[in-house]
Amino acid sequence: MAFAQQEFSTRPEHPPIGSTPVSLEEAVAASSTGLPQQWYSIGPGIWELLLNGAPDSDYKSVLQWYEPNTTSVNPHAIITHTYIEEVCYLQGGLSDVTLGQGWGPGAYAYRLPGMKHGPYVSSPEGCLQFVKLVPLDSK
């Protein structure tokens, strides 16, 4: 998959708290490029803005916005995946329910495939984070 050059002079604003969810399909349908050009919902109170890649790919860069006090998609499931994940927290924070540990602005995570993490709860101000996914076979 080819990535496109993209630059911002200011950070894209996340959706206001309590916004009506926009599905990935709706975001794609509203776009002339075939890729979502707006924030779309990936779970209750959790939003994603595709920066590069494809939304259904394990090779993409996104901004994720957790509304205040939001729990990850499955609040009881520990998360694992088959790709490398890099996360940089920009605003607010997340707490890992299993580890009993939280992270805030400036924190960074590098997760290898199979690493157990989550579920998460966002801070009272929510959480804005940059997330990059890279398939293991692309290294």
Side-chain angles (χ1 to χ4, degrees):
M1 152 165 281
F3 281 78
Q5 181 171 322
Q6 186 162 195
E7 299 177 27
F8 300 108
S9 58
T10 59
R11 183 178 74 206
E13 287 297 317
H14 57 72
I17 297 165
S19 294
T20 302
V22 174
S23 71
L24 173 58
E25 293 77 19
E26 292 169 318
V28 168
S31 167
S32 62
T33 67
L35 292 173
Q37 303 295 303
Q38 67 185 47
W39 289 89
Y40 52 90
S41 177
I42 61 170
I46 307 172
W47 298 82
E48 203 165 81
L49 177 64
L50 182 69
L51 300 174
N52 236 314
D56 56 354
S57 170
D58 289 348
Y59 197 8
K60 65 181 177 180
S61 298
V62 299
L63 288 176
Q64 280 185 352
W65 162 240
Y66 280 67
E67 293 183 10
N69 304 306
T70 296
T71 303
S72 52
V73 176
N74 184 339
H76 306 292
I78 293 175
I79 303 163
T80 61
H81 36 72
T82 59
Y83 46 81
I84 296 167
E85 178 183 51
E86 292 185 81
V87 179
C88 184
Y89 298 88
L90 304 173
Q91 175 188 351
L94 286 180
S95 293
D96 186 310
V97 174
T98 303
L99 296 178
Q101 183 175 0
W103 296 270
Y108 169 80
Y110 181 88
R111 300 183 182 118
L112 291 170
M115 180 182 170
K116 296 178 181 179
H117 55 290
Y120 293 105
V121 176
S122 64
S123 72
E125 67 177 293
C127 181
L128 181 66
Q129 57 187 3
F130 172 80
V131 180
K132 181 178 179 179
L133 307 182
V134 179
L136 190 59
D137 61 3
S138 70
K139 286 187 72 180

